[in-house]
Amino acid sequence: MYPSKIILITLCTMSFLILASVCIMAWNKKNIKLAKSIFFLSLSAAIYSFGYTCELSSNTLNAIKFWLHIENIGAPFIPTAWVILALQHTNLNFKYDKMLNAFLLTMSSITFILGSTTEIHHLYYKAVYLNPAAPFSTALIIPGIWYHVHDIFNNLAILTGNIIYIIFWRKSAYPQNQQALIFLLGSLFPWIVEIIYICGYIPWGLDPSPATFIVPGILYGWAIFSLNLFEIAPLAQKVIFQTLSDAILVFDAKGHLATFNFSCKKLFLYLTKKHINALGLTIFYNNPQICQLIQKDSDKVLITDINDKTYHIKRTNLINYDKSVGFMLILHDITYFSDKLNSLQIKASTDPLTGISNRAKLNEDIAKLLAKTTEENISIALLIIDIDHFKTINDTFGHTVGDTILKIFSSTCKNNLRKNDILGRYGGDEFIIILSPSDPSAAFKTAEKIRSVTAAKKIIINSHNNIKITVSIGITVTNIQEPFSDINTLIKQADTALYEAKKLGRNNVKLYTGEQSEQ
């Protein structure tokens, strides 16, 4: 047998065996959409390679024509399978994808039908002869009009698939870009040889294309084993990734944005595909929590506010064969739980009757402000206020009237305080006000204003009765030179001043000077 024929038969046989192996691997993963596309492509190419191997091994025209029909089962569907694979692998979705798939399958089916019935109409092959110029038995094909149509369709389909992979290769990160490059290179070598064959540069009309499928077959097998093609997510976001309610940002090992899902797009309105491969620190420079997790390989969970909502952010490293290939930031909306927690905290620190701080919250605020006096070298004032003869009011008019008076007095205090001042109910009819910062003169002025406004107020009980109330107020102010560290001491001082105000006949304000008599 002629040496060049032996070599070509051997290469075609190897091509068939490699493609058949890829078929089996893809079939074993047929539950994965990508595996189905690879199976369709490798099966079409394997049938073509097998048919051409047998054609080259034939010595009669009838045998050659028979194997041409076998080749025609697979060859017409190779370009269609290639475009479908590229679209699914890169998850490129567009408005007319179903129409495109239908068009591709229709073109391939027409070629298959016309190729199988060419002896009737001669639209695919006008005639098939044994090539008299060849030193061995090989076909001399006279192409029909549809043969040329299919050639154009075949090359346009390969070009389309390659453009899809080139675009995605430029935009994707590892391992997606490596997968894209492998599939791109796998198509280029057979395509180049196909063009050379169409131009008539291959002697004796031999078709080396089936032999060239060795290259994509080996590359596809390598992608399946070495890059876990069927074990990790495909090149682009799958439907499940896009429909997750959590926002997910995927970065490569160097902190460049690799991909993101639709929830991210809704959360970060400025985020577009143009940010793919951009440095994450540059994209999210205005969010310190995200930047902190991008910079540091940390398991720490952070909380951030975005667009008036609260998010829990967690970093998850992506490991492939003990090697870090990147990481994900998962942003989970916890606004509802955060609001509920804040609501519970407010309830736990609020007096239910008046809506102001309760005793526990007051003690907490006083402790914080005392620490602040030392750090910032400022003084604060604490006022203890007692409603005069409140027990008598309760006994005479009832607790409902007493509750109304407490509410009205709380509103009176709030209306005469600064934004940063703190008001709370310490117990019963006793209230505490914290003025920060303040000095003795300013504290006395505020207390006197509250006392006088309260004394001038007439509280209507019903059409026949109204009440006028008065309050006694004790004041203490922290000394910058001698900062307090004991809450109880501060309250005791204000209480001592309150006792002195009551001794003066009530409806009075008294400032603690250290000279008052103890209760």
Side-chain angles (χ1 to χ4, degrees):
M1 190 179 289
Y2 205 77
S4 59
K5 185 177 182 179
I6 295 175
I7 293 172
L8 191 55
I9 290 174
T10 302
L11 291 175
C12 287
T13 302
M14 291 174 60
S15 176
F16 164 71
L17 293 174
I18 292 171
L19 289 169
S21 300
V22 173
C23 275
I24 293 170
M25 289 185 284
W27 178 257
N28 289 334
K29 297 289 184 178
K30 58 182 178 294
N31 58 313
I32 300 173
K33 195 173 182 180
L34 177 61
K36 292 178 182 178
S37 300
I38 292 178
F39 175 79
F40 182 27
L41 177 61
S42 54
L43 177 63
S44 300
I47 293 172
Y48 184 25
S49 298
F50 174 75
Y52 195 65
T53 301
C54 295
E55 179 192 332
L56 289 173
S57 303
S58 302
N59 295 316
T60 66
L61 182 60
N62 286 335
I64 289 174
K65 286 183 177 181
F66 172 79
W67 291 114
L68 279 172
H69 284 295
I70 300 299
E71 293 168 41
N72 190 59
I73 297 173
F77 295 97
I78 292 175
T80 293
W82 170 243
V83 176
I84 291 175
L85 172 63
L87 289 172
Q88 289 186 353
H89 201 182
T90 61
N91 202 35
L92 179 62
N93 297 312
F94 62 99
K95 188 176 180 180
Y96 303 107
D97 57 344
K98 291 183 179 179
M99 292 178 60
L100 175 62
N101 288 344
F103 169 75
L104 293 170
L105 288 170
T106 300
M107 290 294 293
S108 294
S109 298
I110 291 173
T111 301
F112 168 69
I113 293 169
L114 294 180
S116 301
T117 58
T118 190
E119 290 87 354
I120 300 173
H121 44 70
H122 304 291
L123 291 175
Y124 195 64
Y125 299 141
K126 285 185 178 180
V128 179
Y129 306 105
L130 286 175
N131 193 338
F136 47 82
S137 299
T138 184
L140 174 63
I141 295 174
I142 309 300
I145 187 171
W146 190 260
Y147 186 94
H148 296 297
V149 172
H150 180 73
D151 269 346
I152 295 171
F153 167 71
N154 183 56
N155 284 280
L156 287 177
I158 295 173
L159 176 62
T160 301
N162 287 345
I163 290 173
I164 292 171
Y165 271 118
I166 288 171
I167 292 172
F168 196 83
W169 171 61
R170 292 182 61 187
K171 289 186 176 181
S172 59
Y174 181 88
Q176 292 98 325
N177 58 353
Q178 195 166 353
Q179 288 183 18
L181 183 62
I182 285 172
F183 277 78
L184 177 62
L185 293 176
S187 73
L188 288 179
F189 183 59
W191 189 28
I192 292 170
V193 173
E194 170 76 9
I195 293 172
I196 295 172
Y197 168 70
I198 292 172
C199 293
Y201 294 118
I202 307 297
W204 309 314
L206 294 173
D207 183 4
S209 298
T212 62
F213 292 152
I214 291 176
V215 175
I218 291 173
L219 290 176
Y220 293 174
W222 181 53
I224 292 171
F225 282 109
S226 299
L227 297 180
N228 296 327
L229 186 65
F230 298 147
E231 306 300 328
I232 63 175
L235 294 182
Q237 309 97 325
K238 287 196 171 187
V239 173
I240 190 171
F241 177 66
Q242 288 294 353
T243 55
L244 286 172
S245 58
D246 288 347
I248 300 179
L249 296 162
V250 183
F251 298 87
D252 64 17
K254 294 182 179 179
H256 296 89
L257 183 64
T259 187
F260 56 89
N261 65 354
F262 185 67
S263 293
C264 272
K265 178 61 185 149
K266 291 194 293 184
L267 181 58
F268 304 103
L269 300 179
Y270 55 86
L271 197 60
T272 68
K273 289 184 178 179
K274 292 180 180 178
H275 291 101
I276 297 294
N277 287 332
L279 193 64
L281 295 176
T282 304
I283 302 171
F284 303 102
Y285 67 91
N286 59 345
N287 194 302
Q289 286 82 4
I290 291 180
C291 289
Q292 184 178 341
L293 290 179
I294 290 175
Q295 286 179 298
K296 191 174 182 181
D297 183 3
S298 170
D299 293 330
K300 186 176 181 181
V301 173
L302 299 177
I303 305 296
T304 185
D305 290 331
I306 305 172
N307 299 341
D308 298 324
K309 289 188 175 183
T310 305
Y311 288 86
H312 163 292
I313 316 177
K314 182 180 180 182
R315 171 171 168 151
T316 301
N317 289 330
L318 301 174
I319 307 297
N320 185 35
Y321 287 98
D322 298 325
K323 179 183 177 182
S324 177
V325 296
F327 59 93
M328 295 190 303
L329 295 187
I330 304 172
L331 291 86
H332 180 62
D333 186 351
I334 59 168
T335 306
Y336 173 80
F337 302 101
S338 178
D339 289 346
K340 284 290 184 184
L341 180 60
N342 290 337
S343 177
L344 290 172
Q345 289 175 337
I346 290 171
K347 286 182 179 179
S349 61
T350 302
D351 174 55
L353 177 64
T354 60
I356 59 177
S357 297
N358 60 16
R359 185 169 187 156
K361 184 68 167 59
L362 281 170
N363 285 333
E364 180 185 327
D365 290 339
I366 294 169
K368 289 179 181 177
L369 287 172
L370 285 175
K372 192 176 180 181
T373 61
T374 303
E375 294 173 4
E376 301 184 10
N377 200 30
I378 61 172
S379 61
I380 63 171
L382 187 144
L383 286 62
I384 291 186
I385 308 172
D386 193 71
I387 299 176
D388 297 330
H389 306 297
F390 186 73
K391 184 177 184 303
T392 302
I393 294 172
N394 264 340
D395 293 342
T396 304
F397 298 99
H399 288 280
T400 301
V401 172
D403 289 347
T404 300
I405 290 172
L406 292 173
K407 292 178 185 178
I408 291 173
F409 178 68
S410 297
S411 297
T412 300
C413 291
K414 283 191 281 188
N415 292 336
N416 290 279
L417 294 175
R418 299 168 301 183
K419 184 178 179 180
N420 293 330
D421 294 334
I422 297 171
L423 168 67
R425 185 181 175 196
Y426 202 62
D429 63 321
E430 198 168 60
F431 293 79
I432 283 182
I433 293 175
I434 307 167
L435 306 176
S436 173
S438 186
D439 56 34
S441 175
F444 191 89
K445 185 177 179 180
T446 300
E448 182 58 33
K449 184 178 181 182
I450 291 172
R451 185 204 63 77
S452 61
V453 169
T454 303
K457 192 180 290 290
K458 188 183 292 185
I459 302 173
I460 299 173
I461 303 299
N462 51 49
S463 57
H464 302 291
N465 296 298
N466 56 68
I467 300 174
K468 291 187 71 173
I469 63 171
T470 60
V471 295
S472 301
I473 304 175
I475 307 169
T476 186
V477 181
T478 59
N479 189 331
I480 295 175
Q481 283 73 36
E482 299 177 10
F484 287 94
S485 58
D486 185 359
I487 300 172
N488 293 327
T489 299
L490 193 65
I491 293 176
K492 187 176 181 181
Q493 289 178 354
D495 209 33
T496 299
L498 173 64
Y499 178 71
E500 294 293 332
K502 289 182 178 181
K503 279 176 50 177
L504 293 173
R506 303 182 190 272
N507 193 22
N508 267 293
V509 176
K510 192 67 178 176
L511 178 66
Y512 179 80
T513 61
E515 299 174 357
Q516 285 96 336
S517 59
E518 299 293 330
Q519 290 189 56

